[in-house]
């Protein structure tokens, strides 16, 4: 059975999104800046259909994030389109016609919706039965491959609190957001043990991997 | 003029001490474990009068923390002895007769007390006039050398919020504490910009240095 990996970038003060999230500013004030280390990378630019870009110590790290990944899980807020029931001509994600995932993506939501097939082998499946159902469906789609939960904070917290995460891939951005969505919150006293697997110094970011032991 | 460096170890979820701090458990539940990466080090053992020990990627990092440091600042809680006025036969610190500092140490407290001279050139000075006065006194003691503020969270927060910290030296321990004293809290919207200087992967810990720009 594949691993469940939680992959996300945080500020040094532990936020994955800044305060005052809105449709115009989906990562809140300062939240977009958390990801500035990624935008110049060749691997990032390629995945968005652009040429050129840099190769840094982050490049193999980012490449590793999609290696052997057969399905992705994300929260409704990360998929976007605002809260509540889906509109008649509903939101299709932030990523245009060809999202950079290329595997089935399971979106945690309270509102039913038919699967949404995009270009490049990305199909969004909307799961209303909670995190365990989403993981079961992702495992079925992924076969023996790994599964990534890539945000937001709330989705990762739910999987961590339930003892379902096998590996954490945290990128720490040199920023203070001072408020917003804190990654390691609402863990309800979950007894989580970590083993540091690797730390990588890169340009304007540090990547750290942890194995998660569920006790 | 020397730099003011804040040097501290946090859990992955951002705590420098766990919940339920007490005299028997000064770092709270799980707090002591944050420092487990340090105890086997030769440089740590030597500073506590013990022989042997390991040399890891942490060794030069820890050595660097006391290089060119002419004075240290700490909070009353880190010095210990409980809150409130000093007893008649007062607490002399956690560190025995020869504390591992060997420079003047300025303790932030609300309660006046005569300086306390220990072996090995460590003298504790008790400062009741607040963080700026402690920094002025530390600068006078340190001359051109640097000054370290080494905890607790509250002392570092006050210096950060006041825009007085030049460099952050954060060691991230692979633990979740789930509660306790959060390092990056109470910053009151201070506009702090960071530049990542260095990240070091070591055994059971990652060390990251940041330059702090005050805007």
């Amino acid at each position: 059975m594949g691993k469940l990996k939680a992959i996300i970038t945080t500020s040094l003060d532990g936020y994955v999104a800044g305060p005052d999230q809105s449709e115009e500013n989906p990562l809140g004030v300062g939240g977009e800046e958390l990801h500035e280390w990624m935008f110049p990378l060749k691997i990032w630019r390629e995945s968005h259909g652009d040429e050129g870009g840099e190769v840094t110590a982050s490049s193999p790290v980012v490449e590793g994030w999609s290696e052997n990944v057969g399905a992705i899980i994300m929260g409704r807020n990360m998929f976007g389109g605002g809260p509540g029931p889906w509109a008649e001509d509903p939101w299709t994600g932030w990523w245009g016609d060809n999202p950079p995932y290329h595997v089935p993506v399971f979106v945690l939501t309270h509102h039913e919706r038919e699967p949404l097939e995009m270009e490049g082998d990305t199909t969004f499946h909307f799961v209303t039965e909670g995190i365990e159902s989403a993981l079961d469906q992702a495992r079925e789609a992924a076969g023996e491959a790994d599964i990534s939960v890539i945000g937001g904070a709330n989705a990762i917290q739910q999987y961590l609190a339930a003892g379902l995460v096998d590996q954490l891939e945290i990128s720490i951005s040199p920023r203070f957001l001072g408020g917003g969505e804190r990654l390691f919150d609402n863990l309800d006293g979950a007894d989580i043990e970590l083993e540091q697997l690797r730390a990588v110094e890169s340009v304007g970011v540090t990547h750290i991997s942890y194995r998660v032991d569920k006790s």
Side-chain angles (χ1 to χ4, degrees), chain A:
Chain A
M1 198 167 72
K3 289 180 201 141
L4 179 62
K5 297 183 182 186
I7 302 174
I8 200 157
T9 296
T10 83
S11 63
L12 180 61
D13 55 350
Y15 295 98
V16 302
D20 303 323
Q21 287 179 275
S22 65
E23 205 167 327
E24 300 75 48
N25 211 355
L27 288 174
V29 176
E32 181 95 358
E33 293 169 19
L34 292 182
H35 303 276
E36 273 177 2
W37 62 270
M38 194 155 45
F39 304 140
L41 296 182
K42 182 171 157 66
I43 185 170
W44 169 264
R45 295 180 54 82
E46 277 173 355
S47 75
H48 289 72
D50 296 322
E51 290 180 13
E54 297 168 10
V55 174
T56 71
S58 294
S59 302
V61 174
V62 172
E63 208 170 336
W65 290 344
S66 45
E67 258 166 31
N68 195 38
V69 167
I72 287 171
I73 299 172
M74 66 172 66
R76 159 73 188 267
N77 197 38
M78 181 166 178
F79 179 75
W86 303 101
E88 212 163 297
D89 182 14
W91 175 259
T92 58
W94 308 100
W95 306 276
D97 296 333
N98 189 353
Y101 301 118
H102 315 297
V103 293
V105 177
F106 296 84
V107 179
L108 301 164
T109 170
H110 294 293
H111 302 282
E112 289 192 14
R113 178 170 170 182
E114 289 299 304
L116 172 65
E117 203 178 328
M118 309 296 285
E119 292 172 20
D121 291 325
T122 300
T123 297
F124 293 103
H125 300 270
F126 301 89
V127 181
T128 55
E129 303 88 7
I131 61 165
E132 305 211 5
S133 171
L135 183 57
D136 288 345
Q137 293 179 52
R139 286 208 190 284
E140 201 171 318
E144 294 300 301
D146 295 334
I147 295 157
S148 307
V149 49
I150 60 173
N154 185 268
I156 291 177
Q157 285 160 13
Q158 288 187 60
Y159 281 104
L160 271 174
L164 294 168
V165 174
D166 298 292
Q167 203 163 311
L168 274 175
E169 303 273 343
I170 307 295
S171 300
I172 301 175
S173 210
R175 311 267 168 189
F176 279 126
L177 292 187
E181 259 194 276
R182 227 192 254 277
L183 178 56
F184 297 120
D185 216 344
N186 308 310
L187 294 178
D188 299 326
D191 193 2
I192 299 163
E193 304 223 329
L194 302 174
E195 181 193 341
Q196 182 180 301
L197 296 176
R198 187 187 60 170
V200 175
E201 174 187 29
S202 186
V203 181
V205 67
T206 298
H207 308 286
I208 318 183
S209 308
Y210 300 93
R211 193 162 69 88
V212 183
D213 283 330
K214 306 122 182 185
S215 29

